[in-house]
Amino acid sequence: MIERPASPVPTLVTSAAARLSYGQALALVVAAGAFLRVAFMARQPIGLDEDFTAVTVHQPVDRMIDIVSRDSGPPLFYFLERGVVALADLLGLASFGGPGGPVALRLVPVLAGIALIPLLAALARRVAGDAAGVWAAVFAALAPATVLLSGFARMYGLAATLTVGATLVLWRALEKPDRSHWALYVTVAALAVWSDYFSAVALAGIFVAALWLRPSRRIAAVAFAATALSVATIAPWLIVAQAQFEH
C-alpha cells in the first residue's frame, strides 16, 4: 500500500506556535478573530430576529421595556444595544454600514464574540495546558458558527461570553475562596442570566462540573448558594415580564 505524504499544514502550525509564547500566540489569534468579526459586521443586511432588535431598541425606554417584557427574554442585551445605538445616533453614525445601521446594531455581539476568544482559551488552558488554550482560541476565532454568531444582533453571543466568564471566575473562587471572587462570580453569572434565561441552565451544569475539582463541603455549599443567588436576581424582572409566561 502506497503511503501518502503527511500534510505540511499541522507541521507549519506547530512550528509557528513553537516560536511564539502563549501570550503572543493568543494575541495573534484574537487579532485574527477580531478582524473577521469586524469585516463581516456590515456584509449581511439586517434580517431574521435582528429586525425585532432594531425596532425595539429605537423605542422610548418605557416602550422598549414593555415590548421586551412581552417577548421571550430578559432585558440586559436590549439596554446595551440601546446605549450603543443612541451613541451612534448622537455621533451621526446611525446608518453606518448600510440601511438600519448594522454596525451599531451588531457592535455588542461583535465585542462579546471577540472577548469569548481569550476567555475560552483561558478555560481550556486551565484544563489541559498552553497548547489546548491556543487551539481553543483558534476554534473560537475561526469556526464559522462563532463568527456568524458574533455578527448576529441578538443576545446569544453575549450570554455565551458571560457564561464562559462566570465559569472561569467560579473556578478561581473555588481555588481562592474569598469574598471578592464570590462577589465577582455572582455578578458575572447574574449578568449571564439577565442576558438569556438559558444561562441559568448552563450555570447549574457548571456548578455540577465544578464538583469535579473536589472542593470542601463548605466551599461547595458557598458555590451552590452563589449560583442560586445569581439566578435568583432575575426574579424582579420576571414579575415585570409576567406576560412572557403566556407564550
Side-chain angles (χ1 to χ4, degrees):
M1 182 174 66
I2 300 176
E3 294 185 0
R4 295 182 179 182
S7 171
V9 174
T11 302
L12 291 174
V13 172
T14 303
S15 177
R19 293 194 295 267
L20 298 174
S21 68
Y22 174 80
Q24 291 171 332
L26 181 59
L28 185 63
V29 174
V30 171
F35 174 80
L36 280 177
R37 284 153 177 78
V38 172
F40 280 101
M41 280 179 77
R43 289 187 63 86
Q44 295 295 330
I46 295 172
L48 299 176
D49 287 348
E50 291 183 304
D51 290 329
F52 178 81
T53 301
V55 171
T56 301
V57 299
H58 281 93
Q59 303 296 316
V61 175
D62 56 345
R63 176 59 178 158
M64 183 187 76
I65 294 173
D66 181 63
I67 292 172
V68 176
S69 70
R70 300 173 188 276
D71 186 40
S72 57
L76 177 61
F77 172 75
Y78 296 98
F79 278 111
L80 294 176
E81 283 282 299
R82 180 175 173 75
V84 172
V85 169
L87 181 60
D89 289 344
L90 183 65
L91 297 176
L93 301 173
S95 299
F96 185 64
V103 171
L105 198 66
R106 292 169 176 157
L107 183 60
V108 171
V110 163
L111 293 178
I114 295 171
L116 178 65
I117 301 170
L119 288 175
L120 197 61
L123 187 59
R125 188 187 189 195
R126 277 179 165 267
V127 173
D130 288 359
V134 172
W135 283 112
V138 170
F139 171 81
L142 305 181
T146 61
V147 175
L148 292 175
L149 186 64
S150 297
F152 189 49
R154 296 294 286 165
M155 71 287 292
Y156 313 117
L158 176 64
T161 298
L162 289 169
T163 301
V164 173
T167 304
L168 283 167
V169 178
L170 175 59
W171 196 328
R172 182 57 175 163
L174 293 173
E175 293 176 339
K176 189 178 180 181
D178 57 33
R179 292 182 179 180
S180 61
H181 287 124
W182 289 121
L184 182 60
Y185 169 63
V186 170
T187 301
V188 177
L191 290 174
V193 176
W194 278 79
S195 299
D196 190 341
Y197 294 134
F198 286 105
S199 295
V201 179
L203 291 172
I206 291 165
F207 166 74
V208 172
L211 298 179
W212 172 72
L213 297 174
R214 299 181 181 277
S216 66
R217 291 185 179 181
R218 177 181 173 277
I219 299 302
V222 173
F224 176 80
T227 302
L229 177 60
S230 66
V231 174
T233 61
I234 198 68
W237 168 252
L238 296 179
I239 296 173
V240 173
Q242 292 183 43
Q244 293 185 355
F245 296 103
E246 300 173 4
H247 292 183

